[in-house]
Amino acid sequence: MPYSRKISKILKDLVLIMVLIFTLFPILWTVTLSFKQSRDIVKYPPSFLFTPTFDNYVNALYNSPFLSYFINSGIIALGSTFLVLLLAIPAAYGIYRFNFKLKSFVTVFILFSRMVLPVAVAIPFFVVFKELNLLNTHISIILMETIMLLPLAIWLIGGYLVMVPKEFEEAAMIDGTTRFGAFLRIVIPILITSLIPISILTFIFSWNDLLFPLILSGPQTKTLTVGILNYIGYESVDWGALCATVMIASVPIIILAVIVQKQLIKGFSAEVLKG
Amino acid sequence: MIKVLKKSSHIIFFLPALIFLFVGIAYPIVWSINNSFYQWIIGGNPIFVGLKNYYDIFFGILSKDFWYSVYITVILTLLTVALQLTIGMGIALLIYDRTQNKIIRSIFLLPMVIPPVVSGTIWGNFIYNPSYGILNYVLSFFGVAPQLWTYSSQQALPSVIVILVWQWTPFVVLLLSAGLESLPKAPMEAAVIDGASSWQIFWYVKVPLLKPVILAVTVLRLMDTLRAFDIIISTTLGGPGRATEILNIMTYLTAFVHFNMGVASALGTILFTISLAAVIIMLYILRER
């Protein structure tokens, strides 16, 4: 018995190691490629011994508009995260803290908004923004990201709110604070730690989005994701710079994810596990 | 007056967000339904054609493309989610109660946080690429002849599914392993005492206890797979031919490549209907809980 158990444990470890290699390999392979010369990247069979070069990163950062793409991605992700939080925190409080007539209608509507396909929303707003002359602006993309990410944020914050006891606010209100004052001084400070995973999740989803920037951005507002996609379309691609750009687009997110790993996993799982 | 204001203060808290969402979601629905009755290419003038767009999509000139897209969408969605769930469950059981859990989890976090357009680029250009991709090189050691992968109309769909499985199975793993850890220990200990095999414990004790989590993850993954856009656009653009053109992509191409806004509005209306159906299913599941 112990012998067969040992074998099964070794087998399990082996499978797990293979799964981890499969998971990591595409990313590590691209890291390797990003330090190769462009002509070595497209060489077949691939070379595993090469002198690493930083040219690709230098090219990506200085000789192409990728720095401005990076800034645009940042502006849009920060802007939509800010707007989502600004709207979602009071909304979650108003919906999940009180009982009112249309409560179930409001929550179902929010769930529906979460399930909507972005492309179906993009068509009307493309026409609207075109008529309002808002194409090629940051604000149009920020507004669309906010529409798509707001339902998730309200839903998640609501989940945390349910766990905060009402008594704190009630005590403050008996002491003469208004409802709004209690919200600002009692509820928000209690919520603040749970807002971290939600903000990061919103930031990541907005930074990673392709559809809305692709449709709404112009030369001045292109994001990294659109930049990467356009890159592939070119006839003669500078593969090295593409690899470097792909890394530059992912690294901030990966660093963010590693730093707040525990919070992030909480954020990802809260949607499903809270109920 | 002040009393009414005080009583309805909750409305003031959620009204801004609700108005925002209402404009953002309800307006597009009304707009799409309205414009789906028009023949309208951007730049031209809309002409009222009644239900013609729907007739074209379901039975007329577009029906072949549409039903093929429906078929591709169903295959891609079901296969992707089935693979994500079974592989995800397998890995979740594998890492259950492991001491190295923290490192393993941070590795699994990587694919799901990088931009999907990046994973499409990595897989499409550096792994699948028929002339210098690493996959054909690795397979050559096993005597497999070079394959075309995303450039082949038979292999494109499975190739895209593999990317989707790679990127999002970790999400399923994280949720299911969190779910497994939150299970009460008593039923499993009782089953062990009663002499149940580990397979029996999994199938008759763990799965039923996890059912709510599994169902919720399934609905979420189905909806997110239906939205798959970045990975397909960055690898196959819906091709070769129409081999990977799911409904989402068909709608995008109709609206933003062919600028056929009338048909695109009709397709958008169909997509909204699908979302509505998903919500009804989700509510049903939540009620069951």
Side-chain angles (χ1 to χ4, degrees):
Chain A
M1 190 62 187
Y3 185 66
S4 73
R5 192 171 283 172
K6 217 173 193 176
I7 289 187
S8 106
K9 198 190 171 301
I10 291 171
L11 236 89
K12 275 183 181 170
D13 285 353
L14 227 66
V15 172
L16 186 62
I17 288 167
M18 271 157 68
V19 168
L20 290 177
I21 290 174
F22 177 74
T23 308
L24 268 182
F25 178 78
I27 298 170
L28 289 183
W29 182 240
T30 314
V31 175
T32 322
L33 291 182
S34 70
F35 292 108
K36 277 186 180 182
Q37 305 275 357
S38 275
R39 58 185 148 74
D40 289 333
I41 291 174
V42 292
K43 212 159 80 181
Y44 189 90
S47 52
F48 291 93
L49 289 169
F50 58 93
T51 18
T53 163
F54 284 94
D55 289 359
N56 297 324
Y57 287 92
V58 175
N59 284 341
L61 283 175
Y62 293 103
N63 303 337
S64 64
F66 274 112
L67 202 59
S68 85
Y69 296 171
F70 192 91
I71 293 166
N72 287 331
S73 283
I75 292 173
I76 289 164
L78 282 176
S80 35
T81 308
F82 174 74
L83 197 54
V84 164
L85 288 177
L86 189 71
L87 290 166
I89 300 168
Y93 182 71
I95 294 167
Y96 291 94
R97 211 28 148 206
F98 301 87
N99 282 315
F100 52 97
K101 252 190 213 155
L102 293 171
K103 184 167 176 167
S104 54
F105 171 78
V106 171
T107 47
V108 170
F109 176 67
I110 289 168
L111 183 64
F112 173 71
S113 311
R114 162 80 178 90
M115 295 292 190
V116 153
L117 276 83
V119 75
V121 178
I123 297 168
F125 278 111
F126 169 74
V127 176
V128 170
F129 287 136
K130 202 170 129 112
E131 271 161 22
L132 294 175
N133 260 326
L134 280 175
L135 293 181
N136 193 14
T137 59
H138 292 119
I139 190 70
S140 61
I141 304 170
I142 290 176
L143 287 174
M144 295 317 294
E145 301 293 352
T146 306
I147 291 171
M148 297 319 296
L149 298 171
L150 188 54
L152 178 69
I154 296 177
W155 177 266
L156 290 176
I157 297 172
Y160 288 114
L161 255 176
V162 179
M163 294 186 284
V164 178
K166 266 184 189 169
E167 283 72 26
F168 291 128
E169 299 148 64
E170 278 160 6
M173 280 162 73
I174 288 167
D175 291 349
T177 322
T178 58
R179 173 62 77 178
F180 191 70
F183 169 71
L184 274 187
R185 260 163 293 184
I186 312 288
V187 179
I188 292 191
I190 294 176
L191 272 182
I192 217 101
T193 45
S194 30
L195 292 178
I196 296 168
I198 296 164
S199 324
I200 293 162
L201 218 56
T202 312
F203 183 90
I204 292 179
F205 283 144
S206 169
W207 175 281
N208 286 359
D209 187 47
L210 172 69
L211 178 70
F212 290 113
L214 181 63
I215 292 165
L216 301 172
S217 72
Q220 281 89 45
T221 49
K222 254 187 209 172
T223 61
L224 271 172
T225 48
V226 178
I228 290 168
L229 186 72
N230 288 350
Y231 224 86
I232 311 169
Y234 289 145
E235 283 293 313
S236 57
V237 178
D238 180 354
W239 291 111
L242 176 63
C243 284
T245 313
V246 158
M247 290 322 299
I248 293 167
S250 312
V251 161
I253 297 288
I254 291 177
I255 291 175
L256 202 63
V258 170
I259 292 176
V260 290
Q261 185 200 344
K262 224 173 134 191
Q263 305 278 347
L264 191 61
I265 291 173
K266 240 189 225 161
F268 270 115
S269 42
E271 189 176 17
V272 175
L273 297 178
K274 73 161 198 182
Chain B
M1 181 65 198
I2 288 168
K3 218 173 180 184
V4 171
L5 255 178
K6 253 193 176 156
K7 251 197 140 173
S8 56
S9 65
H10 58 279
I11 296 178
I12 298 159
F13 282 106
F14 67 70
L15 207 59
L18 213 60
I19 293 173
F20 196 88
L21 269 187
F22 215 73
V23 174
I25 304 292
Y27 172 77
I29 296 175
V30 176
W31 189 97
S32 301
I33 295 174
N34 180 45
N35 281 281
S36 67
F37 300 128
Y38 289 85
Q39 186 181 50
W40 176 30
I41 313 285
I42 262 197
N45 285 322
I47 306 161
F48 185 80
V49 290
L51 290 170
K52 187 178 176 296
N53 287 329
Y54 292 101
Y55 177 83
D56 284 348
I57 288 170
F58 289 121
F59 315 104
I61 41 166
L62 294 168
S63 64
K64 213 182 132 211
D65 288 356
F66 174 74
W67 291 112
Y68 184 72
S69 266
V70 171
Y71 165 73
I72 294 289
T73 310
V74 171
I75 300 265
L76 178 118
T77 316
L78 291 185
L79 220 59
T80 305
V81 176
L83 283 169
Q84 286 171 346
L85 280 175
T86 43
I87 298 172
M89 180 58 100
I91 299 173
L93 290 171
L94 217 55
I95 66 173
Y96 179 67
D97 264 353
R98 261 177 199 274
T99 40
Q100 320 93 322
N101 225 325
K102 216 176 156 193
I103 305 160
I104 295 169
R105 280 190 188 182
S106 48
I107 290 175
F108 278 133
L109 209 53
L110 290 181
M112 60 200 254
V113 295
I114 64 167
V117 68
V118 164
S119 48
T121 308
I122 291 177
W123 280 84
N125 292 296
F126 308 127
I127 293 183
Y128 285 140
N129 188 294
S131 42
Y132 53 86
I134 186 83
L135 183 58
N136 275 343
Y137 177 71
V138 171
L139 288 177
S140 70
F141 290 106
F142 301 94
V144 180
Q147 303 291 317
L148 287 172
W149 305 118
T150 50
Y151 291 89
S152 139
S153 49
Q154 281 92 42
Q155 289 164 359
L157 192 62
S159 304
V160 167
I161 291 175
V162 168
I163 309 178
L164 285 167
V165 169
W166 175 79
Q167 181 144 38
W168 289 110
T169 303
F171 174 79
V172 181
V173 173
L174 287 182
L175 289 183
L176 290 183
S177 62
L180 277 174
E181 266 153 38
S182 71
L183 289 184
K185 295 264 187 287
M188 279 171 260
E189 280 157 9
V192 171
I193 292 166
D194 289 348
S197 71
S198 51
W199 171 255
Q200 282 171 324
I201 293 176
F202 168 69
W203 196 248
Y204 294 109
V205 182
K206 286 180 183 167
V207 170
L209 284 171
L210 269 183
K211 199 178 144 202
V213 179
I214 295 174
L215 282 174
V217 172
T218 309
V219 177
L220 269 182
R221 289 314 317 142
L222 282 173
M223 285 317 289
D224 279 351
T225 313
L226 224 49
R227 297 170 172 208
F229 176 80
D230 315 27
I231 285 176
I232 298 179
I233 287 290
S234 56
T235 51
T236 63
L237 264 169
R242 305 182 71 254
T244 50
E245 198 177 312
I246 61 171
L247 276 180
N248 196 23
I249 303 287
M250 183 186 182
T251 311
Y252 169 81
L253 295 175
T254 310
F256 300 108
V257 175
H258 310 304
F259 294 108
N260 191 341
M261 288 311 197
V263 173
S265 303
L267 289 170
T269 308
I270 294 167
L271 292 183
F272 278 123
T273 317
I274 294 173
S275 305
L276 190 65
V279 170
I280 293 168
I281 295 169
M282 187 89 179
L283 284 177
Y284 183 74
I285 291 170
L286 287 174
R287 195 150 301 161
E288 283 254 292
R289 235 186 241 196

